[in-house]
Amino acid sequence: MSRPRRHGQRRGRRDIALGVLGALLAFGVCEAVSRSGIVRRDYLPPASEVVRRAVELAGDSAFLDGVGATLRAWALGLALACLIAVPVGLLLGSVPVVDAAVRAIVEFLRPLPSVALIPLVSLLLGSGTGTEVALVTYAAVWPILFNTMYGLGESEPLAKETLRAFGFGRAAVLLRVDLAGAAPFVAAGIRISAAVALIVAVATELLSGFGEGLGIFIAQAQLATDGTRDVLAGVVWAGALGLAVNGVLVWGERRLFPWTPERRGARP
């Protein structure tokens, strides 16, 4: 086993240990603050009760159906964002004239928060999964789009010139060199968009109040007389889903792109 690889594995184990330590520290602080009476239990239940409630929800079929609905909207929205953002990013990154023509529109649309578009999209698509998927797609497009464009700028000029010298056309160079070089950047954009998409999916359910999902569970729990524990348990589920998704995507990046310095664990 090479030295950089051993170093990367040690660093990975250290990061995991530090992450677990930080989580345990936060758990202990929340538990102590609640049980000491500094904050009323109505506002901040003990962390142990919240975690216990979150575990109990794993056996609630209705709750799991809601989580499944959220994940379906998340996955569909993220997939649509990839199908839109990668080709558009390749076009804008490889054709400067097109990039210049639409740059003002892109910069106008990018800062618009997805949740602010709930009324408009609801009028167009109705109150259902379609609205949630559309908003998730809109929010998830931008990181993938700009990472794709940035990745194209990092492609190897010598490799492109070599292909052109052997008679390959512009499309072949784009697919064989530019897209291959941009792939790690696209993957990073997808990982960022996955977290954004999950946030928007839950927020859309929470703010719109229609359909089913994890956000609907949290919205209904906050209306209950003693619903703070359920609200926080739903938040724990949202955080756990985000952590799991990020972990899977990081693992996939390491498997698909082991040649990048950060994946090898090498220091610059």
Side-chain angles (χ1 to χ4, degrees):
M1 185 181 296
S2 64
R3 184 175 179 180
R5 186 175 179 182
R6 290 198 301 269
H7 172 73
Q9 290 179 344
R10 288 197 299 269
R11 187 172 64 179
R13 289 194 292 268
R14 182 198 63 189
D15 291 344
I16 292 175
L18 290 175
V20 172
L21 179 62
L24 291 176
L25 180 62
F27 179 91
V29 170
C30 293
E31 184 79 9
V33 168
S34 178
R35 293 193 180 278
S36 65
I38 298 176
V39 179
R40 290 175 52 186
R41 290 197 179 190
D42 293 343
Y43 300 141
L44 181 65
S48 57
E49 294 183 9
V50 173
V51 172
R52 187 182 307 115
R53 178 55 177 158
V55 173
E56 291 175 356
L57 289 173
D60 188 335
S61 59
F63 174 79
L64 294 180
D65 288 342
V67 172
T70 299
L71 289 178
R72 284 193 297 272
W74 165 81
L76 184 55
L78 184 61
L80 289 174
C82 292
L83 292 175
I84 295 170
V86 173
V88 174
L90 291 175
L91 176 63
L92 298 181
S94 59
V95 185
V97 174
V98 178
D99 181 28
V102 303
R103 173 63 66 171
I105 299 174
V106 170
E107 294 299 335
F108 172 78
L109 294 175
R110 181 172 61 156
L112 294 178
S114 296
V115 292
L117 300 175
I118 289 177
L120 175 61
V121 179
S122 298
L123 288 175
L124 297 175
L125 301 179
S127 58
T129 304
T131 295
E132 184 177 356
V133 171
L135 294 171
V136 169
T137 302
Y138 178 83
V141 156
W142 306 112
I144 304 173
L145 174 66
F146 284 98
N147 268 41
T148 302
M149 295 173 62
Y150 178 80
L152 288 179
E154 296 296 311
S155 59
E156 179 57 50
L158 181 59
K160 293 193 286 187
E161 293 299 328
T162 302
L163 283 185
R164 292 193 186 103
F166 280 96
F168 287 91
R170 186 170 185 174
V173 172
L174 178 64
L175 293 176
R176 292 172 180 265
V177 178
D178 290 330
L179 183 57
F185 297 92
V186 175
I190 292 173
R191 175 161 50 85
I192 296 170
S193 289
V196 172
L198 185 59
I199 293 170
V200 172
V202 175
T204 300
E205 296 165 351
L206 182 62
L207 296 176
S208 64
F210 55 72
E212 59 177 342
L214 182 56
I216 295 297
F217 172 83
I218 295 174
Q220 293 175 345
Q222 71 178 353
L223 299 177
T225 305
D226 188 22
T228 307
R229 187 186 60 168
D230 279 0
V231 169
L232 294 176
V235 172
V236 168
W237 268 85
L241 291 175
L243 184 63
V245 167
N246 184 75
V248 170
L249 292 177
V250 168
W251 176 84
E253 286 184 53
R254 289 174 177 170
R255 298 285 293 181
L256 291 173
F257 312 113
W259 62 84
T260 56
E262 61 272 18
R263 301 291 176 252
R264 293 197 305 264
R267 292 181 177 178

